[in-house]
Amino acid sequence: MPHRQVYFFGGGQADGRAEMKNLLGGKGANLAQMTNLGVPVPAGFTISTKVCTHYMESGGAFPEALEGEVGAAIAKVEQAMGTKFGDAENPLLFSVRSGARVSMPGMMDTVLNIGLNEKTVAGLVAETRDERFVYDSYRRLIQMYAEVVMGLDIDEFHALLDARKKEKGVYHDLGLDADDLKELVRQFKSKVRELSGKSFPDDPHDQLWGAIRAVFQSWNIPRAVSYRRLNDIADDWGTAVNVQAMVFGNMGEGSATGVAFTRDPATGERVFYGEYLPNAQGEDVVSGVRTPHPINIAQKNEGDDESLEEAMPKIYGELEAIREKLERHYTDTQDIEFTIQGGKLWMLQTRTGKRTAEAAVRIAVEMEHEGLIDRKTAVLRVEPDQIEQLLHKRLDPAATYELLAKGLPASPGAAVGRVVFTAEDAVSWAEDADKTKHRTILVREETSPEDIDGMNAAQGFLTARGGMTSHAAVVARGMGKCCIAGAGDLKIDYRARAFSVGKRTVKEGDWLTLNGSTGEVILGQIGTVDPEMSGNFATLMEWADEFRQLGVRTNADNPEDSARARSFGAEGIGLCRTEHMFFGEERIRHIRGMIMATDEKERRAALEKLLPFQREDFEGILDAMKGLPVTIRLLDPPLHEFVPHSDKEVEELAKELGKDPQAMKERAANLRESNPMLGHRGCRLGVTYPEVYEMQARAIFEAACRLTKRGVNVKPEVMIPLVGEPKELSILRELVERVAKEVITSEKVAVDVRIGTMIEIPRAALVAEEIAEHADFFSFGTNDLTQMTYGYSRDDAGVFLKDYIKKGVLRKDPFQSLDQRGVGQLVKMAVEKGRLAKPDIHLGICGEHGGDPESINFCHHAGLDYVSCSPYRVPVARLAAAHAVLKARMKAFH
Amino acid sequence: MPHRQVYFFGGGQADGRAEMKNLLGGKGANLAQMTNLGVPVPAGFTISTKVCTHYMESGGAFPEALEGEVGAAIAKVEQAMGTKFGDAENPLLFSVRSGARVSMPGMMDTVLNIGLNEKTVAGLVAETRDERFVYDSYRRLIQMYAEVVMGLDIDEFHALLDARKKEKGVYHDLGLDADDLKELVRQFKSKVRELSGKSFPDDPHDQLWGAIRAVFQSWNIPRAVSYRRLNDIADDWGTAVNVQAMVFGNMGEGSATGVAFTRDPATGERVFYGEYLPNAQGEDVVSGVRTPHPINIAQKNEGDDESLEEAMPKIYGELEAIREKLERHYTDTQDIEFTIQGGKLWMLQTRTGKRTAEAAVRIAVEMEHEGLIDRKTAVLRVEPDQIEQLLHKRLDPAATYELLAKGLPASPGAAVGRVVFTAEDAVSWAEDADKTKHRTILVREETSPEDIDGMNAAQGFLTARGGMTSHAAVVARGMGKCCIAGAGDLKIDYRARAFSVGKRTVKEGDWLTLNGSTGEVILGQIGTVDPEMSGNFATLMEWADEFRQLGVRTNADNPEDSARARSFGAEGIGLCRTEHMFFGEERIRHIRGMIMATDEKERRAALEKLLPFQREDFEGILDAMKGLPVTIRLLDPPLHEFVPHSDKEVEELAKELGKDPQAMKERAANLRESNPMLGHRGCRLGVTYPEVYEMQARAIFEAACRLTKRGVNVKPEVMIPLVGEPKELSILRELVERVAKEVITSEKVAVDVRIGTMIEIPRAALVAEEIAEHADFFSFGTNDLTQMTYGYSRDDAGVFLKDYIKKGVLRKDPFQSLDQRGVGQLVKMAVEKGRLAKPDIHLGICGEHGGDPESINFCHHAGLDYVSCSPYRVPVARLAAAHAVLKARMKAFH
């Protein structure tokens, strides 16, 4: 045992310090620290964690010297507070709380109001002139003590309380008066005797030691033990016990209680922000029975009650000084609780204040300007995941509403519109004479690439099926539109043009509001607020860029998205999907003609017609990204995605193309696949129908050459999808090189030809050294890689993934956060093998994971060169990439 | 250069030996060897490969001493043959052939009849008294020489030949007489002059040296170079040149030519088997213009011409002696060619004789008995892949037929029956009063588990879609029935109850014959022969078992298959699929009730009804395999496989189950998946609906306990499918253990509880060390593992796999032969990690690859404990496992 077992704090000085967390626990060290800072904290003392260890090891004995040290500490507290423990006139009451090295919220026990008995009760009544409050405190002590210290059944006491309320015909505890509570104290005491065979201890010292013992013992109650297991907390750390004088804000005039933030937690503005209630307990502020008053004049609105600044200017001045002191010490916004007892200010708690994304950014940047923190710290102060909301329209935070249903928050932001059930309706309503029909919410079982025009026209999408990476979700994030996916409670009846949730029915044309950041579906129109891109945000992003090593690109398929992403700081396009370009009206006709062709000649003729469209697409995108690399993925999805499904539609198509409807139906049926995900797609199409990739390569290099001639700097990179065998890539590389050479020769300008592949099939990672021989770059397609490594179809897995996370089979949805153990192993393997075969190979990731902070941290450590994500995630990725560097540095220093 | 450059052979002795392959090439060494054995070989000499190397390195120069050595060798040949090179009266002719270290069939050039010119032609005519033959030989010499040595366009010569035939109004070369050929010789010579500006060389020595030079140069012609690249043959090995005296079997009476096998290549019987033609050339035997005679009396049938044994008893005696000598020397059945020229026997070639499976087995076993070979060699002499045909009904080898279509040889054997298009028809036709309707061939786009009864009733299956591991193929192999899958030319019209191939239409009820070993679909009824399991076969299998280290189990789902596999030598069941048991009429009703249940209670009630059926199934199988382990896989496929697809069927089901049709349709629609392969199946069902696996575990252990009570030794092993996360297995292991304990406690008998998992998801291999902690065994499910590692759906990949193999992207179909580089890497990784975590973990494979010899070899080297395959592949696997051991030993010795 160390010499000292008990650490006093109070009256402006403490035996402990902030660094003594292991010995005093987090709370004890913090109380000591605040005291040392000169902040008025109710006096008290901490019994060290070593005593707990001794207690456990000795089978429940206290060290010899403890009693004496506690006695001495009590005397010091009495002196500091000007009260006396057990004194009838001027009683000192204690709270007894646990406090381990690491916070274990709610895991261990607390006893309040230690020191109350028949004698001290009278003194306290005299002092507070509030008999009801005092007896309520007393009955609470007995109740808590009976449960926590004596281990009696708490329900027996609740039953007595309930019986009393019933008898009095009141619903709330507040309906009981002082006499009722006096009677309850009597009943509680006899219940204690009845259940335990012992009397409730009247001696304050007995009460105190019982509570101390109970806190030590609570270290080993089952819920605390499980919590330690789950959070890697050692069993032998033990807990400290904090014994602290109680103060009351409801001791008449000159007493009050309040909570405050050192800066505005909503906007981050450097103003003192809070509220208080005169002559009240903390409970009263929280319960909403009384309306709190503003803390200062600055915050007062018309009709508000007197502020603390006006009512107690001196106290308010003290509080202001404490605010400065705490921010300076903790170098972060604090959330504080205070109580004023008989004209004396006491600080009960200070902790880091929660804040909105907007506030987080402003506080971090301003604190750096104020010299409170350095840039690294400022960057680390903002959570990457948080900032995406700054880029989207949001629901008015002040609005109240009723929830209709909940789905997955698939693409953030807010959308308000009228319900339509088909993409065609979304398009036609947008052009309706009735302008109220222009804003629509597209509600579907799930969306498909054919819905693209309707998705463009709608404000947001709501699907009953599909997950975070379903078609609707991916497209929405790309467009920056709001989407809620997989709202399984929706029963959609397309024929009736309505959907129902439980007994509620929503019809076509009804107004709906979506909160894509929470997944909440709301009936009616809720107000929204537009994003504000403050200068602080830009500043923070610049700082992040100073630290990060990973490049950040974007996934974009059109000039608008490309330009938007560039404005968000994207350093190139990591994934430009070419198939989304096929869905325009005229294009889809040609692509269908190509698919339905019966021979290569016919196929080539259809492709010839498609070529100008593709070239134009690529020109637009390469132009928008001028000077930055643009990775263009050649056709990836299976052909049947472009072909109509119903017999009727196929017949129409046959008429349009001038073909035999029967042959056409057969061809369409032949294209259908059992598992399209694992079917005839990606480079497999390129190998079997080389003319398709030839057309795409031609379009890319013709666009590149034309722009070059116009003086635009272009960096196209051709990406071959779904490679699993090195030979697939070597065949297609040869094809692309040949076409590029033809175009470059005929256009007579120089354009760099860079060709690479996606690593998205497990086998590709396994044989990466062979594939690297034919690749200038690898881009990890972690969506598909996750699907195949886990054997999960992302379109179908929603059904069991929820259950899997609930049952602890999975920690997180692997489509949202990269599975580092399994999929990550393949990524690392491919990085290693790829670099071994070709040291200068360029490596990136273009799966949805490229926008997930935890996954970005993995990519940084796996040694990738860049991540690519949807435009709205670009700032998130920039910040997360900086965090990865800074956190690794911090680790290295510790 | 070594001293000697030219190696003579002839007259009973040779300079070379069999071991000198590197120097003399395969053919040269073999000719020397035969000569040394005392076999009469036309004399000749071999110019060594070193000369070729010198020729290449020196840019086309011959070593100085070569001319002298060749001259000396020619003299020796003249002496041995009693003829003279370039002599007008008694000319010696030479053939000049290439001969590399390794056979490169057809890759390099040959020139025959070297030595013919105007002078020698006359002598040969006098000798043979066949002017037509001589001039035909002469025009062939000019033609071959012009092309091979002089590099002239062969088409010019063909044109002259064709013009002549046209002029004479004949179709065949044989229609031309001696005068025609004389004229052609004239024309050919002037054409040579015209094209090359040089005369055709008349000097036999010039001809010879030109031919030698041409052979050396042919080492570097493009097709030879590519062949070397593909077959790993070094460029600097070079080729030897074999110059050999020509002999003629058509030099009148006392001349003949023939081919023979030292044993019957069809049955393997030890009889001398062959045919010959008197006064004929080898060409005549092959062309079919004349009918060959039997070689001996034993083979004569009524009406056959005089045998060689009768016509030339002395020569026949010599041939018999040579037969003995060659078999003793080569210790294997030989395929020989001979020519008798003027009463003298010459052997032209001996090589290992091709044989049927039946013959291979008999020859191997009998040669061991005769002491010609040892057991290891006998076992290695039979190709594992070959022997499966011994277990199936086969098409009568004598039958001739016309091919209707071709598909994949998905399950071997033969089937004859009448076409039906639905499983229901197959069942009802089997019970029809018209007995000719009992045998049916089920023709479908593809089959599904619902067709199981119909598949049981039909003789064989023909599908238009699906690959070697499609449902139809897997079920067929399990049942030992014939199946042809993926016959893409079939256009099936279910409504018309007919299918068409090109312009041919086949209707319901038409007779069809399938050859599942070749994939041939034949219209009409072709005769078949039943399998004969000879004693030799059993003997060979026993010998294989002496050597192999891998265990061999079978994949079987019912007692019949189990018993059959056991009779084929299976040492247990490696995969018993439980879902196939669900398709009986009453069972499917309960399973559907289970699936359509709206809550757990209802689900449990349906499962309760299913339990007795499952228990009965397991009793049957465990009983059939008594004493041997039976690995039972819990439910694997997604639930929608058990649910009807059409609205009408769902309505009927609703009526049957007393449910709301609309709710039922919704439930059925909800079950549908985009990629069922990667959907809600396997252990994912077990985790979300634990009651299903509980029922199955209960059925297994109740069956095991009941059999144990009856004194039957049982070894059930419970296998959890589709595990990718260790926690899936730990949750389900706990479940199975709990149920097993309950059953064992209540039944009061001891049964071993062994629980393991499939490794069939890439992630499972990646985290195998964590999974091993919860597994007593791993069984590699290489079908699914291949699907996910490659990202190929086996139901859909047929479309591009053919193309991939054709284009060299894939060497083999990875569903037939394990992809050792990629999938194999995961297998090895899992073996290593699994054994590291649990050294005594038992490891097997239960994918289709378990029956593929090349894959079995891989499994042996990867350190697996056993392979499991369909019953009919069990003997194949036993033999392949022995080969793996013996080949590795051979490698170690070399």
Side-chain angles (χ1 to χ4, degrees), chain A residues 90-112:
Chain A
N90 186 19
L92 168 65
L93 301 189
F94 278 125
S95 65
V96 178
R97 289 185 172 94
S98 65
R101 208 188 277 199
V102 175
S103 168
M104 293 168 63
M107 283 303 130
M108 291 180 299
D109 292 321
T110 292
V111 187
L112 303 178

Side-chain angles (χ1 to χ4, degrees), chain A residues 514-532:
Chain A
L514 307 182
N515 184 347
S517 310
T518 60
E520 289 171 313
V521 182
I522 302 150
L523 206 56
Q525 303 182 63
I526 306 295
T528 58
V529 293
D530 278 330
E532 280 172 50

Side-chain angles (χ1 to χ4, degrees), chain B residues 528-667:
Chain B
T528 59
V529 293
D530 279 329
E532 278 172 53
M533 294 279 291
S534 71
N536 286 326
F537 185 71
T539 304
L540 189 83
M541 284 294 109
E542 274 166 33
W543 293 349
D545 289 348
E546 286 172 19
F547 298 116
R548 73 182 157 93
Q549 287 158 13
L550 275 173
V552 176
R553 296 192 186 184
T554 193
N555 301 348
D557 312 334
N558 56 56
E560 299 72 44
D561 282 0
S562 308
R564 182 184 301 127
R566 199 175 174 147
S567 80
F568 290 158
E571 297 159 316
I573 290 181
L575 175 61
C576 171
R577 301 178 183 86
T578 52
E579 54 272 14
H580 290 179
M581 305 169 179
F582 287 159
F583 282 98
E585 193 169 344
E586 194 167 356
R587 295 154 183 230
I588 190 77
R589 196 149 58 83
H590 296 314
I591 188 98
R592 285 171 171 173
M594 184 276 282
I595 294 168
M596 293 303 189
T598 41
D599 57 24
E600 194 185 316
K601 202 179 140 201
E602 213 179 308
R603 203 153 44 233
R604 283 194 183 276
L607 287 166
E608 200 60 48
K609 287 183 195 143
L610 216 46
L611 175 66
F613 291 106
Q614 282 259 289
R615 187 174 53 221
E616 200 184 309
D617 293 329
F618 295 138
E619 269 194 66
I621 292 166
L622 287 166
D623 197 17
M625 297 305 285
K626 39 188 150 255
L628 298 178
V630 175
T631 306
I632 299 168
R633 180 177 73 181
L634 301 187
L635 188 68
D636 183 57
L639 296 183
H640 51 78
E641 284 203 7
F642 302 99
V643 174
H645 300 304
S646 76
D647 275 3
K648 207 181 134 223
E649 285 170 303
V650 174
E651 274 167 28
E652 278 169 22
L653 178 61
K655 206 185 286 174
E656 201 179 303
L657 296 173
K659 294 253 186 179
D660 171 35
Q662 193 49 41
M664 207 75 149
K665 270 187 228 167
E666 274 170 25
R667 173 84 180 127

Side-chain angles (χ1 to χ4, degrees), chain A residues 317-336:
Chain A
E318 276 178 50
L319 205 56
E320 266 274 7
I322 289 168
R323 169 198 170 212
E324 286 293 326
K325 196 179 275 182
L326 289 176
E327 267 210 350
R328 194 161 310 276
H329 178 74
Y330 289 102
T331 69
D332 201 356
T333 296
Q334 297 295 300
D335 168 358
I336 58 179

Side-chain angles (χ1 to χ4, degrees), chain A residues 725 769-770 790 804 821, chain B residues 725 728 769-770 790 821:
Chain A
E725 277 282 358
E769 73 280 24
E770 292 177 29
Y790 259 111
Y804 264 34
R821 182 86 189 78
Chain B
E725 276 283 356
E728 292 172 319
E769 73 279 25
E770 293 176 29
Y790 258 112
R821 182 86 188 79

Side-chain angles (χ1 to χ4, degrees), chain B residues 513-831:
Chain B
T513 300
L514 307 182
N515 184 347
S517 309
T518 61
E520 290 171 313
V521 182
I522 303 150
L523 206 55
Q525 301 181 64
I526 307 296
T528 59
V529 293
D530 279 329
E532 278 172 53
M533 294 279 291
S534 71
N536 286 326
F537 185 71
T539 304
L540 189 83
M541 284 294 109
E542 274 166 33
W543 293 349
D545 289 348
E546 286 172 19
F547 298 116
R548 73 182 157 93
Q549 287 158 13
L550 275 173
V552 176
R553 296 192 186 184
T554 193
N555 301 348
D557 312 334
N558 56 56
E560 299 72 44
D561 282 0
S562 308
R564 182 184 301 127
R566 199 175 174 147
S567 80
F568 290 158
E571 297 159 316
I573 290 181
L575 175 61
C576 171
R577 301 178 183 86
T578 52
E579 54 272 14
H580 290 179
M581 305 169 179
F582 287 159
F583 282 98
E585 193 169 344
E586 194 167 356
R587 295 154 183 230
I588 190 77
R589 196 149 58 83
H590 296 314
I591 188 98
R592 285 171 171 173
M594 184 276 282
I595 294 168
M596 293 303 189
T598 41
D599 57 24
E600 194 185 316
K601 202 179 140 201
E602 213 179 308
R603 203 153 44 233
R604 283 194 183 276
L607 287 166
E608 200 60 48
K609 287 183 195 143
L610 216 46
L611 175 66
F613 291 106
Q614 282 259 289
R615 187 174 53 221
E616 200 184 309
D617 293 329
F618 295 138
E619 269 194 66
I621 292 166
L622 287 166
D623 197 17
M625 297 305 285
K626 39 188 150 255
L628 298 178
V630 175
T631 306
I632 299 168
R633 180 177 73 181
L634 301 187
L635 188 68
D636 183 57
L639 296 183
H640 51 78
E641 284 203 7
F642 302 99
V643 174
H645 300 304
S646 76
D647 275 3
K648 207 181 134 223
E649 285 170 303
V650 174
E651 274 167 28
E652 278 169 22
L653 178 61
K655 206 185 286 174
E656 201 179 303
L657 296 173
K659 294 253 186 179
D660 171 35
Q662 193 49 41
M664 207 75 149
K665 270 187 228 167
E666 274 170 25
R667 173 84 180 127
N670 276 335
L671 284 174
R672 249 168 255 146
E673 297 185 304
S674 308
N675 296 287
M677 176 63 221
L678 308 176
H680 194 190
R681 66 185 196 91
C683 69
R684 299 163 194 173
L685 291 172
V687 171
T688 48
Y689 303 118
E691 52 278 8
V692 178
Y693 276 17
E694 273 172 35
M695 180 280 282
Q696 292 199 299
R698 182 168 299 280
I700 291 169
F701 288 101
E702 284 184 0
C705 287
R706 288 179 187 200
L707 287 167
T708 305
K709 279 186 197 165
R710 295 212 307 268
V712 180
N713 185 3
V714 293
K715 288 191 180 159
E717 302 183 328
V718 179
M719 181 153 75
I720 312 292
L722 220 68
V723 165
E725 276 283 356
K727 183 96 188 204
E728 292 172 319
L729 186 58
S730 74
I731 287 176
L732 294 171
R733 182 181 184 104
E734 223 172 275
L735 176 152
V736 174
E737 276 177 341
R738 174 172 54 74
V739 172
K741 207 174 147 188
E742 280 168 24
V743 173
I744 289 169
T745 307
S746 99
E747 299 273 347
K748 298 192 187 66
V749 281
V751 169
D752 253 14
V753 180
R754 289 177 58 80
I755 301 166
T757 185
M758 310 232 347
I759 301 290
E760 54 184 335
I761 284 187
R763 195 176 192 280
L766 293 167
V767 303
E769 73 279 25
E770 293 176 29
I771 291 176
E773 283 176 32
H774 313 289
D776 300 323
F777 59 87
F778 284 170
S779 179
F780 289 94
T782 48
N783 292 353
D784 276 10
L785 194 59
T786 299
Q787 294 199 83
M788 294 182 212
T789 304
Y790 258 112
Y792 293 164
S793 157
R794 63 187 191 189
D795 294 326
D796 306 310
V799 183
F800 58 87
L801 279 189
K802 274 186 216 164
D803 210 30
Y804 263 34
I805 289 165
K806 211 176 72 193
K807 291 189 172 153
V809 175
L810 294 171
R811 196 176 56 90
K812 284 189 165 191
D813 179 343
F815 293 112
Q816 282 175 49
S817 193
L818 189 83
D819 159 43
Q820 301 185 13
R821 182 86 188 79
V823 178
Q825 201 178 141
L826 286 174
V827 170
K828 282 195 240 165
M829 189 185 289
V831 167

